[in-house]
Amino acid sequence: MRSEPLSYLSSENNGPWEIYLEQVERVTPYLGKLAYWVEDLKRPKRILVVDIPIRMDDGSVAHFEGYRVHHNTFRGPAKGGVRYHPDVTLSEVMALAAWMTIKNAAVGVPYGGGKGGIRVDPRKLSTGEIERLTRRYTSEIGVLIGPHKDIPAPDVGTGEREMGWMMDTYSMNIGHTTPGVVTGKPIQVGGSLGRRDATGRGVFVAAAVAAQKLGMDLEGARVAIQGFGNVGNAAARIFHDHKARVVAVSDVTGAVYNEAGIDPYDLTQHVQATGGVRGYPKAEPIPAMDVLTVPCEFLVPAALEKQITEANAWKVQCKVVVEGANGPTTPAADDILAERGILVVPDVVANAGGVTVSYFEWVQDFNSYFWTEAEINQRLEQIMRNALEAVWQVHEERKVSLRTATYIVAATRVLEARALLGLYP
């Protein structure tokens, strides 16, 4: 019997969730007998929608809409970030949770997929308002989270500060300090060395493996980066440290280009002083979306979903796309890039460095024993390289894209766990 479509999303427009479902459809023919269980991948395990009322600085009360989604927990507790953005939707959070399921399985960390978000523009709130928002949200989703149930982490619009508040709120509610309830928190309260740059470092490792497989030289290679937040900034610095040439960078304020190269450390100082890349004096301004189509060897979309689409995929002028963001390339754009011979290293493995070091942080919190940053980076690179090698082997054996190969590896691991666990009752 075929299951009915989900009733709580629009059948006309499922948003990012539709992209994820199409990716699952593409992998299903390669799953063999495990395809019997594939419907599990198409349905979130549980969804919590919460109202978050907070008192604003002017004395008024404002209400915000929040979500926490568990997509799958066959391989371990749910794991995934919390996003603060005015365009957050249930469809987006569902897709992000599902991509976490695939990502965690692809790199072999013992987690399922989860994600959370609040529909809010944090730039319009004071620090006190953001703290009250975070603490109330944490209390509202407290029935779902916990170090053995669901471990949140930073995402777009959140960072160490918010994770510290979440940890403190959860700990106050249960009566004892619980560092392992979140990852990506400040080092002083149980965070891990190397976590801040982990996603960007993983993006670089993914690019390095692709370069090795394709016979490309990283030194002198041109890199364009969309998004200069935590992921894009770290990726830019690490590419620069390995003598690649960052030629274009964008953020919410605009985009800049310099064929001779942009020093990301210098650009970071400009961003800290002015609030964005716009007006950087050592590069010329370009339209923000043009960062995706400048000539380069490596393109790193590290902003939001659906950036490379059917409309602009024909204009992309790179050799390799390394997805630092979640879902930046639509399925139609994937097909166009493949037709043009442009390799895409997909988000579900390329940006897995963050959750890998989050796993390290979680393990360190349980043991109250912390590793050096050199140990963290070495273990991260080893896990990333092992995952990418496994994906590349399937890519070559099955003659499929790297994205489909990653889904074959990950979905097989998830559905093998499902088959072994069986149905309850």
Side-chain angles (χ1 to χ4, degrees):
M1 178 178 176
R2 184 171 178 83
S3 302
E4 291 298 315
L6 301 177
S7 65
Y8 44 82
L9 290 181
S10 165
S11 58
E12 289 78 28
N13 180 18
N14 277 341
W17 181 250
E18 189 66 38
I19 295 176
Y20 166 74
L21 290 179
E22 185 166 343
Q23 291 165 346
V24 172
E25 289 296 332
R26 292 184 179 207
V27 75
T28 301
Y30 300 96
L31 297 178
K33 292 182 179 179
L34 290 173
Y36 176 81
W37 298 103
V38 77
E39 198 68 25
D40 282 302
L41 296 177
K42 300 178 183 179
R43 296 170 178 274
K45 180 178 178 65
R46 58 176 65 93
I47 295 170
L48 180 63
V49 182
V50 297
D51 175 47
I52 310 164
I54 66 166
R55 195 175 305 280
M56 306 298 283
D57 291 344
D58 63 4
S60 65
V61 175
H63 291 253
F64 299 89
E65 186 176 318
Y67 311 95
R68 189 69 189 174
V69 174
H70 291 176
H71 174 256
N72 191 284
T73 57
F74 296 148
R75 300 182 61 258
K79 184 81 183 79
V82 176
R83 175 170 295 195
Y84 290 1
H85 195 277
D87 296 328
V88 165
T89 64
L90 177 58
S91 168
E92 179 184 44
V93 177
M94 287 168 56
L96 292 168
W99 285 323
M100 288 303 300
T101 296
I102 300 299
K103 187 182 305 181
N104 291 327
V107 295
V109 296
Y111 292 134
K115 206 74 176 187
I118 302 176
R119 287 179 63 86
V120 62
D121 186 346
R123 297 172 298 178
K124 296 181 178 180
L125 271 60
S126 70
T127 299
E129 289 167 340
I130 295 173
E131 180 177 357
R132 293 192 289 275
L133 181 77
T134 301
R135 290 184 181 276
R136 181 60 184 252
Y137 171 72
T138 305
S139 293
E140 294 291 348
I141 67 168
V143 293
L144 293 189
I145 65 173
H148 298 286
K149 298 192 298 183
D150 176 10
I151 307 101
D155 196 80
V156 174
T158 60
E160 293 180 355
R161 179 184 67 176
E162 287 77 15
M163 294 307 105
W165 290 332
M166 291 190 75
M167 170 190 157
D168 182 63
T169 304
Y170 179 86
S171 298
M172 292 294 290
N173 285 341
I174 67 168
H176 60 86
T177 301
T178 311
V181 69
V182 296
T183 59
K185 56 191 172 290
I187 291 171
Q188 298 90 329
V189 292
S192 177
L193 295 169
R195 175 60 183 86
R196 185 177 301 169
D197 285 355
T199 307
R201 185 173 298 278
V203 167
F204 170 77
V205 172
V209 170
Q212 180 183 9
K213 296 292 185 181
L214 298 176
M216 297 169 60
D217 192 348
L218 272 174
E219 185 171 343
R222 297 167 298 175
V223 182
I225 299 179
Q226 183 199 39
F228 202 59
N230 182 51
V231 178
N233 185 298
R237 287 186 281 107
I238 297 167
F239 271 110
H240 177 80
D241 292 345
H242 286 79
K243 302 188 185 307
R245 183 159 40 108
V246 178
V247 296
V249 177
S250 72
D251 66 7
V252 294
T253 68
V256 292
Y257 175 81
N258 186 339
E259 172 64 23
I262 296 169
D263 182 339
Y265 294 93
D266 189 57
L267 180 59
T268 298
Q269 292 182 346
H270 172 81
V271 170
Q272 290 170 345
T274 67
V277 304
R278 184 174 59 185
Y280 181 58
K282 299 178 183 177
E284 63 182 85
I286 59 173
M289 292 302 289
D290 283 7
V291 76
L292 298 172
T293 57
V294 300
C296 60
E297 279 66 56
F298 294 94
L299 172 61
V300 180
L304 295 171
E305 305 90 32
K306 299 175 73 172
Q307 299 300 298
I308 304 175
T309 66
E310 191 173 10
N312 63 5
W314 293 104
K315 303 175 186 176
V316 171
Q317 298 184 70
C318 68
K319 294 181 179 177
V320 182
V321 175
V322 187
E323 296 184 331
N326 293 307
T329 310
T330 67
D334 252 346
D335 293 340
I336 293 169
L337 295 176
E339 182 182 334
R340 298 182 59 212
I342 296 173
L343 182 74
V344 178
V345 186
D347 50 359
V348 283
V349 65
N351 69 26
V355 74
T356 301
V357 177
S358 279
Y359 167 60
F360 297 163
E361 180 177 333
W362 185 65
V363 170
Q364 290 170 93
D365 285 336
F366 275 122
N367 289 283
S368 296
Y369 181 81
F370 293 85
W371 308 332
T372 66
E373 188 163 2
E375 289 174 314
I376 296 283
N377 291 340
Q378 186 272 328
R379 290 172 177 176
L380 166 62
E381 182 165 347
Q382 180 180 357
I383 285 178
M384 289 290 297
R385 286 188 176 275
N386 289 345
L388 288 157
E389 287 290 344
V391 166
W392 200 276
Q393 182 176 346
V394 173
H395 161 67
E396 291 187 329
E397 290 176 352
R398 298 292 191 96
K399 308 300 181 186
V400 294
S401 70
L402 285 181
R403 192 182 311 278
T404 299
T406 305
Y407 271 73
I408 291 172
V409 171
T412 297
R413 291 172 179 173
V414 173
L415 297 181
E416 281 178 345
R418 160 41 105 200
L420 289 167
L421 293 172
L423 286 171
Y424 173 83

